[in-house]
């Protein structure tokens, strides 16, 4: 059985958590089994491993290595699910790390794990980038719903959002899901893009 693998990514306060719950419900009604790979940075920070306790490069290396390990374990398990329609959804992917490192640092990180950028991209069938709320209405950006969010300044959040989108820019199936006045149309835009990728639009 072939498992489809996608990434839901984006800048800080882009709505990933809400979007993942929405997709799980919507695709479940269409007969899909969703396997959700949790965000590695959040898991590490919750476990006491934070960017404030080590260098930026050391932290992003830990995120990268946990991402590789989680994806491999989740994929092997997903391949055992008794359903012809299985979608593995990664809350961020390998290329997200480039948004927090210099090009030289990230290239060295890839090489140290025997990967090229093309090989990292090829792990995923499609990328869906949810733009940060910092790009929308004034005051929409918030830290309240994610204790692990480090970008306190909306300007910094916008910079990271742009950098992450640029990091995935060479992926052949990148969809940018823009900011809306409310989250419902943004979620529906994401759903339609995903259904198109899955051939169910």
């Amino acid at each position: 059985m072939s498992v489809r693998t996608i990434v839901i990514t984006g800048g800080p306060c882009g709505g990933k958590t809400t979007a993942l719950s929405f997709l799980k419900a919507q695709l479940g009604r269409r007969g899909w089994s969703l396997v959700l790979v949790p965000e590695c940075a959040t898991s590490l920070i919750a476990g006491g491993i934070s960017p404030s306790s080590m260098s930026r490069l050391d932290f992003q290396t830990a995120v990268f290595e946990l991402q590789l390990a989680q994806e491999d374990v989740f994929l092997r398990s997903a391949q055992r699910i008794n359903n012809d329609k299985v979608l593995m959804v990664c809350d961020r992917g390998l290329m997200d790390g480039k948004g927090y490192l210099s090009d030289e640092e990230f290239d060295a990180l890839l090489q140290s794990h025997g990967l090229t950028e093309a090989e990292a991209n090829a792990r995923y069938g499609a990328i869906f980038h949810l733009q940060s709320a910092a790009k929308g209405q004034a005051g929409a950006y918030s830290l309240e719903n994610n204790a692990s969010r480090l970008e306190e300044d909306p300007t910094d959040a916008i910079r990271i959002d742009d950098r992450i989108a640029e990091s995935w820019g060479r992926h052949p199936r990148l969809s940018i899901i823009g900011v809306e006045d409310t989250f419902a149309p943004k979620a529906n835009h994401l759903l339609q893009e995903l259904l198109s990728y899955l051939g169910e639009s």
Side-chain angles (χ1 to χ4, degrees):
M1 180 192 65
S2 177
V3 176
R4 311 285 285 273
T5 303
I6 67 165
V7 171
I8 304 293
T9 185
C13 198
K16 290 190 295 93
T17 301
T18 304
L20 289 169
S21 296
F22 173 76
L23 290 180
K24 186 172 184 179
Q26 292 294 321
L27 292 180
R29 296 188 187 108
R30 293 169 169 82
W32 285 86
S33 295
L34 262 66
V35 174
L36 305 179
V37 182
E39 183 180 27
C40 296
T42 297
S43 297
L44 288 169
I45 292 170
I49 301 172
S50 72
S52 63
S53 64
M54 61 185 65
S55 73
R56 179 191 59 199
L57 179 57
D58 284 342
F59 181 73
Q60 289 302 324
T61 298
V63 171
F64 190 93
E65 291 175 347
L66 182 56
Q67 187 76 43
L68 282 171
Q70 281 198 151
E71 287 180 8
D72 289 346
V73 170
F74 274 77
L75 181 57
R76 286 196 299 272
S77 298
Q79 290 168 337
R80 299 185 178 102
I81 294 176
N82 186 25
N83 187 351
D84 292 333
K85 298 168 68 174
V86 179
L87 179 67
M88 189 168 90
V89 183
C90 301
D91 187 342
R92 300 198 180 279
L94 290 179
M95 293 302 299
D96 276 79
K98 192 174 182 180
Y100 298 88
L101 298 172
S102 69
D103 290 350
E104 294 75 18
E105 287 173 326
F106 189 75
D107 287 345
L109 181 57
L110 283 172
Q111 291 173 17
S112 69
H113 291 81
L115 289 169
T116 65
E117 186 169 323
E119 288 169 337
N121 274 317
R123 293 171 68 91
Y124 317 104
I127 313 298
F128 301 90
H129 178 99
L130 305 182
Q131 286 189 334
S132 171
K135 289 191 166 186
Q137 297 175 330
Y141 182 72
S142 172
L143 302 176
E144 293 180 0
N145 64 337
N146 188 342
S148 299
R149 185 169 296 137
L150 303 176
E151 300 81 9
E152 296 184 4
D153 185 346
T155 301
D156 191 31
I158 291 171
R159 179 184 60 79
I160 292 296
D161 187 286
D162 289 342
R163 178 67 174 160
I164 291 173
E166 178 185 341
S167 298
W168 288 105
R170 293 182 180 176
H171 196 284
R173 188 103 192 198
L174 169 64
S175 297
I176 303 294
I177 311 299
V179 177
E180 302 279 358
D181 290 340
T182 62
F183 190 74
K186 186 176 187 179
N188 285 323
H189 181 192
L190 171 62
L191 178 62
Q192 293 309 311
E193 291 285 338
L194 178 53
L195 290 176
S196 177
Y197 163 68
L198 295 173
E200 296 204 357
S201 57

